[in-house]
Amino acid sequence: MKYSALKGVHDILPPDIYIWQKAESTAKEIFSAYGFQEIRVPIIESTDIFVRSIGETTDIVEKEMYTFPDRADRSITLRPEGTAPVVRSYIENHLYNLPSPQKFFYSGPMFRYERPQKGRFRQFYQIGVEAFGAAEPKLDAEIISMLKLFLERLRIKELKFEVNSIGCEKCRPDYKKALVSFFSAKVADLCPDCNRRYINNPLRILDCKSSACTELRKGSPKITDYLCKDCQSHFEEFLSLLNILHITYNVNPSMVRGLDYYTRTTFEITSEHLGSQKTVVAGGRYDRLVEEFGGPATPAIGFAIGMERLVEIIKNVNPEFCILSPKVFIAAIGSKASTEGLLIAEKLRSKGMQAELGYDNVSLKSQLRRADKLGSNYVFIIGDDELQSGMIKWKNLKDGSQGEIGIRDAAEFREL
RNA sequence: GUGAGUGUAGCUCAAUGGUCAGAGCAUUGGACUGUGGCUCCAAGGGCUGGGGGUUCGAGUCCCCUCACUCACCCCA
């Protein structure tokens, strides 16, 4: 094979593409109902946009970005996530002057230079939403509810909703201190990675899967015990609204996000159908980011759906998901009949009916065989007899019934 | 970046170091002159991922390399 796709990227082909289209159109429909409008932002941005928002010491920025100099030697990065570009656009276009909250959704490819595995790719697709200008927990709950509806519409069940609050710039430092002092006596026994985390991001120790660290963090302080008064009541109201909305969730105090910009509410939706990369949706509040980017102080919240993972789940739970539209197949014998068939097909198509032609002047048998394989519902048969009589034959491939219809009326054909 | 596993036909997989590398599915054609699905028959399709080595002889053993997969890590 001379050429192949790059590592970690992939083609999306039929029949999978129908699942993608269904997921995308469903997202658009549901998100619109909640007042989210589509926004399209560039795939390339200045590198510093991502460094500033995601955080200099995160893995994404340190070793996973596709960063390169352009011809004028500016540092450009292929977006590794969607929030930063949307925030940049929100500020640059002064969207904060529009009535709050402003709600957007986006969809498109993201790029991270990672080692591929199940559910993880170098070019992957996300559909995400970002809502600016409302701090109330009502918005947080609404967004979770929207996700629930979206997933139900795709007939996906048995997902786990996990929520947490990671506090704000007032209370998180206290928690960090408590955590550091808790682990100070145990640093030596933590895994090498966690030794590094102990210095630059102690919260991540909670996330570590190594058995030693899992053991060592038993009894560690919980973020939820350290929340300041405001964060505490925000979180409590959020949870009570989830109850009112009949959303089943699990509070997971050790769920920390890998991007630095998150504050307060964080959440994740996971599935057992995904191997070790089981997060299909993740998001949270980022109440400080707009201001840090040079905009007015604006609370915000968002999430992103991993499309490959979503499609993987759909394929697992609902393999029959995509329904083929009815098709008419026109089998013609002889060149005159073939021309007639072409004209009928064109008329059907102009009315929006999917019509397929037999090619290559092959036997009727193989044309029918092909019609069957395409999943056609009906076949029109045109040959010398039909041209003479002016009546063409139709056959229903699903139940085998047959009949005749005038050549002129064939274009008016509706499911009989 | 680290580790493990796997590379043979379009796909899923066989083949003790020993004829010409096989099967099922798929594709195409035929049995059936103008009626699909079922059945039967046949055909096409392979530099056994690539390179080197051991051997009288390598798909098989050894080394290198590339690719894929899964896991660690990280994340959606």
Side-chain angles (χ1 to χ4, degrees), chain A residues 140 144 161-168 172 175 203 206-207 221-227 231-232 234-236 238-239 242 249-257 262-269 283-285 301:
Chain A
D140 307 33
I144 304 286
F161 285 64
E162 297 202 279
V163 301
N164 191 23
S165 174
I166 58 170
C168 63
R172 205 173 338 161
Y175 175 64
L203 264 62
L206 301 174
D207 232 9
K222 284 185 182 175
I223 177 73
T224 37
D225 295 333
Y226 283 78
L227 295 177
C231 288
Q232 179 79 40
H234 189 277
F235 191 47
E236 277 167 8
F238 169 58
L239 296 183
L242 291 184
Y249 62 89
N250 174 33
V251 177
N252 178 356
S254 66
M255 182 183 68
V256 287
R257 311 268 55 245
Y262 285 110
T263 55
R264 290 192 169 170
T265 309
T266 59
F267 56 91
E268 248 179 54
I269 302 175
R285 279 206 162 267
I301 180 170

Side-chain angles (χ1 to χ4, degrees), chain A residues 138-168:
Chain A
K138 185 159 70 174
L139 178 59
D140 307 33
E142 241 186 317
I143 280 179
I144 304 286
S145 188
M146 177 171 83
L147 277 166
K148 186 180 167 227
L149 179 61
F150 168 69
L151 295 163
E152 278 173 359
R153 199 55 71 84
L154 291 174
R155 286 185 255 146
I156 301 173
K157 284 166 198 154
E158 304 188 5
L159 295 171
K160 265 205 230 148
F161 285 64
E162 297 202 279
V163 301
N164 191 23
S165 174
I166 58 170
C168 63

Side-chain angles (χ1 to χ4, degrees), chain A residues 34-301:
Chain A
Y34 279 80
F36 287 81
Q37 295 178 286
E38 183 169 6
I39 182 171
R40 297 194 188 186
V41 293
I43 286 174
I44 52 173
E45 297 273 358
S46 290
T47 300
D48 48 323
I49 282 176
F50 300 112
V51 176
R52 282 284 304 278
S53 60
I54 298 168
E56 282 178 59
T57 62
T58 56
D59 277 34
I60 293 176
V61 167
E62 275 183 342
K63 49 195 190 203
E64 293 177 3
M65 294 205 304
Y66 279 93
T67 296
F68 56 94
D70 72 3
R71 287 174 184 275
D73 224 29
R74 288 173 284 242
S75 182
I76 304 295
T77 293
L78 259 49
R79 63 183 185 196
E81 58 105 39
T83 299
V86 174
V87 168
R88 191 226 79 230
S89 175
Y90 177 80
I91 297 165
E92 185 172 348
N93 295 295
H94 312 290
L95 302 179
Y96 45 78
N97 287 330
L98 297 168
S100 285
Q102 282 291 307
K103 302 192 265 190
F104 302 102
F105 73 90
Y106 61 84
S107 148
M110 307 294 162
F111 304 84
R112 290 181 202 172
Y113 194 87
E114 294 186 273
R115 192 80 170 261
Q117 75 184 69
K118 192 176 174 72
R120 192 171 73 181
F121 309 93
R122 289 186 173 180
Q123 176 176 339
F124 60 101
Y125 291 78
Q126 290 188 337
I127 292 181
V129 313
E130 314 291 348
F132 299 96
E136 291 97 295
K138 185 159 70 174
L139 178 59
D140 307 33
E142 241 186 317
I143 280 179
I144 304 286
S145 188
M146 177 171 83
L147 277 166
K148 186 180 167 227
L149 179 61
F150 168 69
L151 295 163
E152 278 173 359
R153 199 55 71 84
L154 291 174
R155 286 185 255 146
I156 301 173
K157 284 166 198 154
E158 304 188 5
L159 295 171
K160 265 205 230 148
F161 285 64
E162 297 202 279
V163 301
N164 191 23
S165 174
I166 58 170
C168 63
E169 75 279 5
K170 284 182 216 128
C171 48
R172 205 173 338 161
D174 290 341
Y175 175 64
K176 246 183 206 174
K177 256 182 238 162
L179 212 54
V180 167
S181 78
F182 175 82
F183 283 115
S184 61
K186 315 180 176 191
V187 177
D189 300 321
L190 289 170
C191 72
D193 284 328
C194 283
N195 267 275
R196 195 166 43 81
R197 293 178 183 128
Y198 179 77
I199 307 294
N200 53 34
N201 199 347
L203 264 62
R204 296 222 64 107
I205 299 174
L206 301 174
D207 232 9
C208 184
K209 284 164 201 149
S210 96
S211 55
C213 299
T214 310
E215 195 59 33
L216 286 170
R217 68 168 170 259
K218 279 188 179 160
S220 66
K222 284 185 182 175
I223 177 73
T224 37
D225 295 333
Y226 283 78
L227 295 177
C228 64
K229 228 178 157 191
D230 288 348
C231 288
Q232 179 79 40
S233 66
H234 189 277
F235 191 47
E236 277 167 8
E237 192 174 345
F238 169 58
L239 296 183
S240 90
L241 286 167
L242 291 184
N243 292 332
I244 289 167
L245 290 165
H246 302 296
I247 290 162
T248 310
Y249 62 89
N250 174 33
V251 177
N252 178 356
S254 66
M255 182 183 68
V256 287
R257 311 268 55 245
L259 288 69
D260 280 358
Y261 53 65
Y262 285 110
T263 55
R264 290 192 169 170
T265 309
T266 59
F267 56 91
E268 248 179 54
I269 302 175
T270 59
S271 163
E272 293 309 313
H273 293 285
L274 289 176
S276 78
Q277 309 294 324
K278 43 172 128 209
T279 304
V280 61
V281 183
R285 279 206 162 267
Y286 49 95
D287 289 341
R288 302 277 309 145
L289 186 60
V290 174
E291 193 176 359
E292 278 168 18
F293 256 48
T298 307
I301 180 170

